Amino acid sequence: MADWPAPGTRVQRALAQAGVASRRAAETLITDGRVTVNGDVAHLGQTVGPNDVLRLDGALVLAEPVRVILLSKSAGTVSTARDPQGRPTVLDGLPDDVRLYPVGRLDIDTTGALLVTNDGDLANGLMHPRKAVPKTYEVRVEGRVSAAGVRALRQGIELEDGPTLPARVEVMDRMHPGSTWLTIEITEGRNRQVKRMCRAIGHPVQRLHRARYAGVGLAGLRTGQWRFLTRDEIDRLRGFASGTVPR
Ligand code: URA
């Protein structure tokens, strides 16, 4: 990043941007006296600019290149950076020159579009409930979903953690007697939300695939493959994260 950090950036934010730690953890590093600016111990809220020299425990803090990756997640991988049970994670096989984090989670058996980045601000912005980032799922559920079931999914379902917001729901295929394919677009990101919504109307999910996240789809990627997002795609995501993308 040229001219990093931008003039007037708070130290904790600069540390987070550099991939040193989350903003919260960076605050602790500062209050623990482990961060210096131009040789003096930094204080919380202090602002810095491109001419300041930041050090953590004496080591120079330099900006990392921003990476935003679109992964076509395969089933059987967990959406965490490290799994205590040693299962394969979504980061296996991705570049390891910077510390990457998945933007939200997909269940272990869910496939599809997952963003992975080292830009903590972007990830947090995209995951913030108020930003209402659209996520589009292709869902195969057990049984034949009635028009009333579709209506209920569209209007909102009462779940144990409160009612869901209106969703876009289309029936893709009712041809198979034992199941129905639906497209469901939600703007929330609650834990296991799609599975809980479908179960609540009596149609447990058999297969769940995320086709798009914030409008970014998987064209050209086979399961398990990934690519870097383009500058334009990243700018668009930043629009979502800052709430400036009209919808
Ligand atoms: N909703 C779910 O139930 N599971 C996922 O993995 C994603 C959305």
Side-chain angles (χ1 to χ4, degrees):
M1 264 183 272
D3 296 334
W4 173 89
T9 304
R10 291 175 193 277
V11 191
Q12 57 268 35
R13 181 148 200 243
L15 292 171
Q17 287 172 346
V20 166
S22 69
R23 212 179 306 180
R24 183 78 52 82
E27 288 174 4
T28 308
L29 295 174
I30 295 165
T31 50
D32 287 350
R34 295 172 57 188
V35 179
T36 60
V37 177
N38 306 324
D40 298 325
V41 174
H43 56 266
L44 262 189
Q46 180 177 356
T47 57
V48 287
N51 297 324
D52 293 313
V53 177
L54 267 72
R55 288 178 188 271
L56 169 64
D57 296 332
L60 204 53
V61 176
L62 297 171
E64 323 183 305
V66 170
R67 298 245 192 275
V68 187
I69 286 171
L70 171 66
L71 170 70
S72 177
K73 179 189 176 297
S74 47
T77 54
V78 289
S79 301
T80 48
R82 260 177 310 279
D83 181 48
Q85 296 173 45
R87 292 170 295 185
T89 83
V90 292
L91 301 188
D92 294 345
L94 297 185
D96 59 3
D97 58 332
V98 296
R99 196 138 42 118
L100 293 168
Y101 304 92
V103 179
R105 282 169 189 237
L106 290 177
D107 297 334
I108 189 163
D109 54 348
T110 302
T111 57
L114 181 70
L115 293 181
V116 179
T117 184
N118 61 340
D119 185 332
D121 283 346
L122 178 64
N124 288 334
L126 290 170
M127 288 188 288
H128 197 289
R130 266 209 305 274
K131 302 299 162 43
V133 168
K135 298 133 198 128
T136 311
Y137 294 89
E138 293 168 357
V139 194
R140 191 179 77 207
V141 298
E142 221 175 279
R144 213 181 146 80
V145 181
S146 65
V150 172
R151 218 166 25 246
L153 290 173
R154 283 186 183 142
Q155 287 169 352
I157 300 277
E158 193 61 53
L159 298 178
E160 59 273 30
D161 50 356
T164 59
L165 290 174
R168 289 190 183 169
V169 181
E170 297 302 331
V171 177
M172 291 200 290
D173 183 1
R174 271 206 192 97
M175 301 303 282
H176 300 91
S179 61
T180 309
W181 277 99
L182 303 169
T183 304
I184 302 182
E185 182 186 290
I186 56 174
T187 55
E188 303 169 277
R190 296 196 230 163
N191 203 14
R192 298 170 59 80
Q193 181 167 341
V194 174
K195 288 180 184 168
R196 290 191 291 138
M197 287 167 69
C198 294
R199 179 169 283 280
I201 60 158
H203 295 279
V205 167
Q206 296 175 326
R207 171 98 174 77
L208 185 55
H209 175 78
R210 186 153 72 191
R212 278 189 300 286
Y213 183 96
V216 182
L218 289 166
L221 288 183
R222 286 200 298 270
T223 306
Q225 292 185 326
W226 61 271
R227 69 173 174 88
F228 290 116
L229 291 196
T230 63
R231 170 69 25 217
D232 281 355
E233 288 173 320
I234 296 173
D235 286 346
R236 205 176 126 71
L237 288 178
R238 287 197 202 289
F240 273 111
S242 62
T244 56
V245 169
R247 70 201 78 215

